[in-house]
């Protein structure tokens, strides 16, 4: 089996390369090697490589910047999956498209099921929803949330830096979701690729948290590992106290029961995965 993985300079793409199943040929592309804004390049590369699976982990993820870069966000997040889908229909491969909890508006109080109605609040969310549509009914679409990894650009590493620099942090406490370790997500993506059944799936780590809860856990786990000398004061605030250009869903917990039923794997709590990631981060220092 042959897989083509996009976005290997990002945290999910890197994790996909590190967790590739034994016996698979895995070809990775960075942004510089495969410009998702270039439809001809996508057609040419997929036509040449003829992979059994394309896992599209690349995306425009600058949520706030997307509000003013709408065209670019839609070209990368919406048009590229459609092009992948069209060329794979000719070559016989399957698209695995990574999507996001931001396709939902956060107004429901239950965990969002794959079949629930989407209503994105931001340009980023809308572009990813359009990418799901472009991927088509033959694709495997996997929504996830709050992704982080050692060495990546993410909330965990930002908090660690700020905790070392400041005596007090203010963190939003009224947005609820689920942190997700990129390595765990990668394993699910590979598992679903092997299962080879099209549809929409959800992946997140077990448990839920606010950004404030997540920050507290980062501080406690990092201090226990000797990565912080002291924990600064962490103050919970409301979303209204920290306005951003893009609106975020206030509750974006994903129901992953159908995914876990298909894969039959262990569902690990986010704090356990956070501890593992921090140990990896410490080894990089």
């Amino acid at each position: 089996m042959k897989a083509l993985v996009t976005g290997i300079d990002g945290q999910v793409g890197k994790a996909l390369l590190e967790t590739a199943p034994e016996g698979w040929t895995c070809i990775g592309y960075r942004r510089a090697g495969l410009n998702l804004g270039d439809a001809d390049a996508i057609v040419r590369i997929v036509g040449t490589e003829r992979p059994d699976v394309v896992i599209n982990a690349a995306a425009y993820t600058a949520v706030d910047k997307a509000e003013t870069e709408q065209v670019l966000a839609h070209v990368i997040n919406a048009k590229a999956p459609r092009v992948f889908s069209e060329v794979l229909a000719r070559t016989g491969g399957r698209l695995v498209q990574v999507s996001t909890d931001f396709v939902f508006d956060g107004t429901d109080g239950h965990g969002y099921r794959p079949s629930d109605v989407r209503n994105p609040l931001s340009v980023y969310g809308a572009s990813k929803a359009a990418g799901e549509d472009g991927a088509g009914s033959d694709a495997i679409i996997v929504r996830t949330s709050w992704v982080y990894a050692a060495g990546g650009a993410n909330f965990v590493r930002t908090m660690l830096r700020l905790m070392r620099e400041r005596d007090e942090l203010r963190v939003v406490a009224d947005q609820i979701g689920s942190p997700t370790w990129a390595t765990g997500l990668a394993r699910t993506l590979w598992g679903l690729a092997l299962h080879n059944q099209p549809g929409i799936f959800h992946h997140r780590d077990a448990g839920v948290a606010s950004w404030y809860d997540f920050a507290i856990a980062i501080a406690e786990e990092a201090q226990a590992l000797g990565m912080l000398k002291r924990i600064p004061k962490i103050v919970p605030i409301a979303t209204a106290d920290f306005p951003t250009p893009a609106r975020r869903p206030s509750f974006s917990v994903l129901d992953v029961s159908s995914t876990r039923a298909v894969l039959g794997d262990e569902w690990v709590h986010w704090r356990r995965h956070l501890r593992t990631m921090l140990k990896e981060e410490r080894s990089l220092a």
Side-chain angles (χ1 to χ4, degrees):
M1 297 291 286
K2 186 185 210 180
L4 187 155
V5 178
T6 69
I8 62 167
D9 38 1
Q11 50 194 11
V12 177
K14 181 181 177 184
L16 282 163
L17 292 186
E18 293 171 347
T19 58
E22 186 176 352
W24 279 60
T25 299
C26 193
I27 303 163
Y29 278 88
R30 292 181 166 82
R31 279 191 207 94
L34 176 55
N35 176 9
L36 293 191
D38 186 344
D40 290 338
I42 294 174
V43 171
R44 182 177 65 255
I45 288 171
V46 174
T48 300
E49 300 289 356
R50 302 186 76 84
D52 298 286
V53 173
V54 170
I55 305 182
N56 185 26
Y60 182 107
T61 57
V63 176
D64 290 319
K65 205 172 180 181
E67 296 297 309
T68 55
E69 292 187 346
Q70 299 184 23
V71 173
L72 181 59
H74 275 83
V75 165
I76 295 173
N77 291 345
K79 183 179 177 182
R82 185 175 72 251
V83 177
F84 275 121
S85 178
E86 290 170 352
V87 67
L88 286 168
R90 299 193 294 271
T91 62
R94 177 89 68 193
L95 174 62
V96 179
Q97 173 66 27
V98 180
S99 193
T100 175
D101 57 327
F102 274 50
V103 301
F104 299 114
D105 60 17
T107 59
D108 287 350
H110 64 77
Y112 280 97
R113 297 176 291 268
S115 59
D116 282 343
V117 175
R118 302 169 306 176
N119 184 31
L121 301 176
S122 63
V123 170
Y124 166 71
S127 71
K128 292 297 284 183
E132 294 181 0
D133 296 338
S137 59
D138 287 333
I140 297 168
I141 296 167
V142 184
R143 298 180 183 132
T144 191
S145 62
W146 298 20
V147 178
Y148 66 92
N154 54 64
F155 182 79
V156 177
R157 298 187 75 234
T158 297
M159 286 294 104
L160 284 174
R161 175 177 57 80
L162 294 176
M163 287 171 186
R164 291 170 180 140
E165 295 174 353
R166 302 182 184 179
D167 295 323
E168 179 178 305
L169 300 180
R170 293 159 57 83
V171 183
V172 171
D174 59 356
Q175 293 176 23
I176 308 298
S178 297
T180 303
W181 186 37
T183 299
L185 170 60
R187 289 170 180 155
T188 286
L189 291 168
W190 283 120
L192 291 170
L194 287 164
H195 185 68
N196 199 30
Q197 179 64 44
I200 301 175
F201 299 87
H202 288 170
H203 174 85
R204 63 176 174 87
D205 288 347
V208 301
S210 68
W211 290 111
Y212 170 76
D213 296 328
F214 197 14
I216 291 291
I218 293 164
E220 292 176 350
E221 295 290 347
Q223 187 182 51
L225 290 169
M227 300 172 71
L228 285 178
K229 293 181 180 179
R230 54 100 179 108
I231 296 177
K233 183 179 181 182
I234 303 175
V235 180
I237 63 170
T239 298
D241 297 325
F242 188 71
T244 56
R247 293 176 62 196
R248 269 81 168 161
S250 59
F251 183 90
S252 62
V253 176
L254 300 173
D255 184 329
V256 302
S257 55
S258 60
T259 307
R260 301 280 74 85
V262 165
L263 298 181
D265 55 358
E266 181 186 11
W267 194 26
V268 179
H269 194 276
W270 64 262
R271 187 143 180 169
R272 183 170 143 198
H273 273 164
L274 171 63
R275 192 174 302 129
T276 301
M277 174 270 185
L278 288 172
K279 290 177 181 177
E280 291 182 356
E281 184 72 22
R282 183 178 60 181
S283 71
L284 296 175

